[in-house]
Amino acid sequence: MRIIEQARAPNPRRVRIFLAEKGIQVPFQQIDLTQLQHRTEDYRRINPAAQVPVLLLDDGTAISESVAICRYFEELQPEPALFGAGAVGRAQVEMWNRRIEHGVYAHILGCFRHTHKAMAALESPQVPAWGEVCRSRAAEALKPIDRELRDSQFIAGSALTVADITLLVAVDFMKPARIDRPAGLSGLDRWYAEVSARPSAAA
Amino acid sequence: MRIIEQARAPNPRRVRIFLAEKGIQVPFQQIDLTQLQHRTEDYRRINPAAQVPVLLLDDGTAISESVAICRYFEELQPEPALFGAGAVGRAQVEMWNRRIEHGVYAHILGCFRHTHKAMAALESPQVPAWGEVCRSRAAEALKPIDRELRDSQFIAGSALTVADITLLVAVDFMKPARIDRPAGLSGLDRWYAEVSARPSAAA
């Protein structure tokens, strides 16, 4: 078993933090996206979307999509339960993870891809006007997240879940995307300091 | 328990088809998006993203995000297993559902929201250039889906899953988004005829 990734890209970090929280070790193989190693025919056979990371199982099965890889390890080793527990708990983790993915993370990535010069060759065509819409929507979408985090230790309750991991990776990716974190988000700031201090954040 | 939705919107249809495949009946309450009933302060307290559908449980718990609502019902009634079975099976359903969501469905919705006149007031600002990028990416992303469906009865194997439901809703929403289905996608066409003929497709 191994994971093909690029260490600097944000989605592979979601999987690394998840594995660190689970205490699971998996070998990693690096590929270089700037050299377009993810756009070869061989790689597209593994993942038609030409993205990292991909989990390769020993029988050759390839699992792409970060959350699918995380879910595989949740099934293998259920504790700690990073996708929630019980019907309502699991639905709430799914809900928060998706709210953060759609409202925050997708817009941060959209801003980066459509406004950053480093992405000009990889994201073709860039649509800067869309990147600017993404920039303002990402900041706006942090507000209800912040309100939740004023009353709740983690985003989906009293335990860290995959939704916190998505949020941490998203917030940290605001720096390369050059999106300012809005001032006055005291719930988010408190949460960010705590989650960033966990050993898994360095994964 | 009840589901707040608008019958014509695509995401609520994902939940209705899912419930029909499970044989579960839930009361529905309609709201009118054109009258901005999803943008009131009361509704945003239920779902800050101001989207439909929302599942309201009897204790007042609100679950938004279509896939989170589906997952709640999968937990309550595991059979038929629409999120897959076993660690690899569940990971593969998650993978295909996300590939379809990110590659196909999100781009169809993006095209609709950013190019359709009916969305001018709801999607502000519209970015038509982004809508056109979405139009071509949606069509492109159908090709690897089609290749899979030439060898596989359903998108994640021999049984219908939530990933097929996402794909059906996406393909049907190409019509309002005015995206032509590319010719020659024989796997997709065969699959579409079969899945559309199921009673759940009318839900």
Side-chain angles (χ1 to χ4, degrees):
Chain A
M1 181 193 291
R2 68 183 194 274
I3 290 173
I4 303 172
E5 62 145 25
Q6 182 180 59
R8 277 183 312 172
N11 276 315
R13 187 174 175 227
R14 296 169 80 182
V15 173
R16 290 198 308 275
I17 296 174
F18 188 93
L19 291 172
E21 289 287 341
K22 287 274 188 190
I24 297 173
Q25 299 204 328
V26 178
F28 290 96
Q29 175 190 343
Q30 302 298 316
I31 63 172
D32 190 342
L33 306 189
T34 64
Q35 298 296 313
L36 302 184
Q37 291 181 350
H38 58 310
R39 301 221 174 145
T40 63
E41 217 170 290
D42 278 356
Y43 192 80
R44 281 190 199 271
R45 223 169 283 132
I46 296 172
N47 184 5
Q51 292 169 335
V52 285
V54 170
L55 169 66
L56 271 182
L57 302 182
D58 292 340
D59 69 357
T61 302
I63 307 286
S64 59
E65 296 292 334
S66 308
V67 174
I69 296 171
C70 293
R71 196 171 290 281
Y72 174 76
F73 289 107
E74 180 90 350
E75 294 282 335
L76 283 195
Q77 184 192 302
E79 299 297 330
L82 299 181
F83 281 92
V88 173
R90 289 197 181 126
Q92 286 175 323
V93 171
E94 181 85 48
M95 174 182 80
W96 280 109
N97 194 43
R98 285 175 170 269
R99 279 185 180 171
I100 293 162
E101 285 182 332
H102 299 164
V104 181
Y105 190 46
H107 288 129
I108 292 169
L109 293 180
C111 176
F112 179 72
R113 289 176 180 151
H114 289 279
T115 64
H116 200 291
K117 280 183 185 170
M119 291 300 289
L122 283 167
E123 187 71 33
S124 176
Q126 281 188 311
V127 182
W130 172 241
E132 293 307 326
V133 170
C134 287
R135 188 190 308 279
S136 63
R137 286 194 185 167
E140 196 59 35
L142 284 173
K143 293 179 186 171
I145 305 288
D146 168 66
R147 281 196 295 277
E148 191 71 17
L149 288 169
R150 291 182 192 196
D151 301 323
S152 180
Q153 188 183 357
F154 297 100
I155 190 64
S158 58
L160 179 129
T161 68
V162 69
D164 295 283
I165 296 173
T166 304
L167 184 57
L168 177 63
V169 171
V171 169
D172 279 336
F173 208 69
M174 291 170 78
K175 193 175 172 187
R178 294 173 189 167
I179 302 172
D180 295 325
R181 199 182 330 163
L185 302 187
S186 61
L188 183 73
D189 293 345
R190 187 271 314 155
W191 168 93
Y192 180 78
E194 284 178 23
V195 174
S196 296
R198 296 168 79 98
S200 65
Chain B
M1 181 193 291
R2 68 183 195 273
I3 291 173
I4 304 172
E5 61 146 27
Q6 181 180 58
R8 277 184 312 171
N11 276 315
R13 187 175 174 227
R14 296 169 80 182
V15 173
R16 289 198 308 275
I17 296 175
F18 188 92
L19 290 172
E21 288 287 341
K22 287 274 188 190
I24 297 173
Q25 298 204 327
V26 178
F28 290 96
Q29 174 190 343
Q30 301 298 316
I31 63 171
D32 190 340
L33 306 189
T34 63
Q35 297 297 313
L36 302 183
Q37 291 181 349
H38 58 310
R39 300 218 174 149
T40 63
E41 217 169 290
D42 278 356
Y43 192 80
R44 281 190 198 270
R45 224 169 283 132
I46 295 172
N47 183 6
Q51 292 169 336
V52 284
V54 170
L55 169 65
L56 272 182
L57 301 181
D58 292 341
D59 69 358
T61 302
I63 308 286
S64 59
E65 297 292 334
S66 308
V67 175
I69 296 171
C70 293
R71 197 170 290 281
Y72 175 76
F73 288 108
E74 180 90 351
E75 293 282 334
L76 283 194
Q77 184 193 302
E79 299 297 330
L82 299 181
F83 281 92
V88 173
R90 290 197 180 125
Q92 286 175 323
V93 171
E94 181 86 48
M95 175 183 79
W96 280 110
N97 195 44
R98 285 175 170 270
R99 279 185 180 171
I100 293 162
E101 285 181 332
H102 299 165
V104 181
Y105 189 45
H107 288 130
I108 292 169
L109 293 179
C111 177
F112 179 73
R113 289 174 180 153
H114 289 279
T115 65
H116 200 291
K117 279 183 185 169
M119 291 299 290
L122 283 167
E123 187 72 32
S124 175
Q126 282 187 311
V127 183
W130 172 241
E132 293 306 326
V133 170
C134 287
R135 188 190 307 278
S136 63
R137 287 194 183 165
E140 195 58 35
L142 284 173
K143 293 179 185 172
I145 304 288
D146 168 67
R147 282 196 294 277
E148 191 70 17
L149 288 169
R150 292 183 191 196
D151 301 322
S152 181
Q153 188 183 356
F154 296 101
I155 190 63
S158 58
L160 179 129
T161 68
V162 69
D164 295 284
I165 296 173
T166 304
L167 184 56
L168 177 63
V169 171
V171 169
D172 279 336
F173 208 69
M174 292 170 77
K175 194 176 172 185
R178 294 174 190 166
I179 302 172
D180 295 325
R181 197 178 337 160
L185 301 186
S186 61
L188 183 71
D189 293 345
R190 187 271 313 155
W191 168 92
Y192 180 78
E194 284 177 24
V195 175
S196 294
R198 295 168 79 100
S200 64

